[in-house]
Amino acid sequence: MFTTRRLSETFGMAIEGVDLSRPLADDEFRAVEQAFFDGQILAIKGQSLKPGAFVDFARRFGPPQPHVIDQFHYPDHPDILILSNGKENGRPIGLADGGSYFHTDYSYLAVPARVTILYSVAVPKNGGNTLFANMYAAYNDLPAATRERIDDLVVLHHYGNRNDLDETSRTAASPLSEAQKGKVDWVRHKLVRTHPGTGRKALYAVSGSSFEVEGMPKDAGVQLLDDLKAHALQDRYIYSYAYEKGDVVLWDDLATLHSATLTDPNDLRTLWRITVIEEA
């Protein structure tokens, strides 16, 4: 059907020989989904997609959730968010510098993301990589006493970057309008989540939208989250993916953290993004 290869010694898979411009048969999709579970990051190479085909593929994983930043939805396809530093007639065509800090997509929603899917439309001459951190491995490597201590903790999340709240910063969460801010609120998620597809435990969203630990003094809770973040972002857990035009890259939001990297604003980078949420 197709060939697979590892992206690194620790995690990540790539697939050659799949054409997502046509509907996948059920057995083909199950094989793709298994590669996704096995790799946590899955790069499907060499695609040429129209928006409708991209949305149809994403829907095989579950219900897409349009992003709260609605001014950059793809015309007639609101499930697609345009990520781009490009401009037309002096106006931005997409969201630039989005997610330039380690985070988990939609962890600020009551029903969070299952998988994020990017389709690479224009690749910059330099940079533009996405960094990924393996949250299975980060959890497994914690001392047993720490795992026991944190397994049942609950974390309060809100849209934003806990470590950079300056809306003018390129590493803060992308700013929202007042109307958009009214669409997000505080939500609760377990600090350690068990993946429904694999049965494995992982640290969840210890960087980004996590602001407090329920039942702990705020300073102590933030310190715990910062300690877990520092542990999870060690080099041994990080993989940097370099895009090629036509890549469709999926990552498991339950088992990874990720961060965009800043690029030259004049070096065009454009991706289409769909985020699929978990079953409610």
Side-chain angles (χ1 to χ4, degrees):
M1 291 167 52
F2 53 78
T3 60
T4 62
R5 58 180 171 84
R6 291 200 167 275
L7 291 174
S8 74
E9 293 181 0
T10 53
F11 69 135
M13 300 285 288
I15 287 178
E16 305 270 2
V18 171
D19 180 6
L20 300 182
S21 67
R22 60 171 182 82
L24 297 181
D26 288 346
D27 60 338
E28 291 178 304
F29 177 74
R30 284 193 295 269
V32 168
E33 186 179 44
Q34 189 59 56
F36 166 72
F37 284 145
D38 291 345
Q40 301 162 249
I41 312 156
L42 178 64
I44 305 176
K45 308 293 290 185
Q47 302 304 304
S48 179
L49 299 180
K50 293 182 178 179
F54 185 42
V55 173
D56 288 345
F57 172 65
R59 287 186 183 278
R60 299 292 294 272
F61 289 89
Q65 174 68 43
H67 198 280
V68 66
I69 298 180
D70 50 10
Q71 66 267 36
F72 296 124
H73 289 175
Y74 195 99
D76 299 323
H77 291 279
D79 291 330
I80 299 175
L81 176 68
I82 301 171
L83 305 177
S84 184
N85 56 6
K87 294 184 178 181
E88 290 182 357
N89 300 318
R91 301 185 65 178
I93 63 172
L95 181 64
D97 296 338
S100 300
Y101 57 95
F102 276 99
H103 65 287
T104 299
D105 287 336
Y106 289 4
S107 52
Y108 56 86
L109 298 182
V111 180
R114 178 193 178 194
V115 53
T116 298
I117 311 172
L118 293 187
Y119 174 46
S120 180
V121 177
V123 178
K125 300 180 183 67
N126 297 294
N129 291 23
T130 299
L131 306 177
F132 297 96
N134 186 337
M135 294 298 97
Y136 286 145
Y139 174 79
N140 290 340
D141 289 348
L142 289 169
T146 301
R147 295 198 302 270
E148 183 177 357
R149 176 191 173 203
I150 67 174
D151 266 358
D152 294 323
L153 294 179
V154 173
V155 178
L156 302 179
H157 291 255
H158 199 284
Y159 183 92
N161 175 8
R162 179 177 79 243
N163 297 117
D164 187 352
L165 299 176
D166 179 359
E167 291 188 354
T168 66
S169 170
R170 294 183 76 187
T171 58
S174 300
L176 304 182
S177 68
E178 290 305 312
Q180 290 164 349
K181 288 178 181 178
K183 297 178 180 179
V184 296
D185 203 350
W186 290 96
V187 298
R188 304 164 71 249
H189 295 300
K190 292 281 295 290
L191 176 53
V192 177
R193 301 190 65 203
T194 300
H195 196 297
T198 66
R200 301 174 64 187
K201 289 184 175 181
L203 292 175
Y204 183 71
V206 293
S207 177
S209 73
S210 50
F211 282 86
E212 298 183 37
V213 178
E214 196 170 75
M216 293 181 66
K218 184 172 181 178
D219 289 349
V222 170
Q223 186 62 59
L224 174 61
L225 292 169
D226 285 345
D227 290 346
L228 291 171
K229 173 184 174 181
H231 166 73
L233 298 185
Q234 295 179 77
D235 288 347
R236 57 180 165 154
Y237 302 128
I238 303 295
Y239 172 71
S240 177
Y241 185 80
Y243 293 86
E244 296 179 332
K245 185 176 180 179
D247 284 351
V248 170
V249 177
L250 306 81
W251 61 84
D252 192 329
D253 284 298
L254 278 74
T256 61
L257 289 169
H258 67 279
S259 175
T261 53
L262 295 174
T263 56
D264 183 342
N266 298 310
D267 192 0
L268 182 63
R269 177 180 188 258
T270 299
L271 306 107
W272 298 349
R273 170 184 142 167
I274 299 176
T275 302
V276 171
I277 59 173
E278 300 174 22
E279 296 297 332

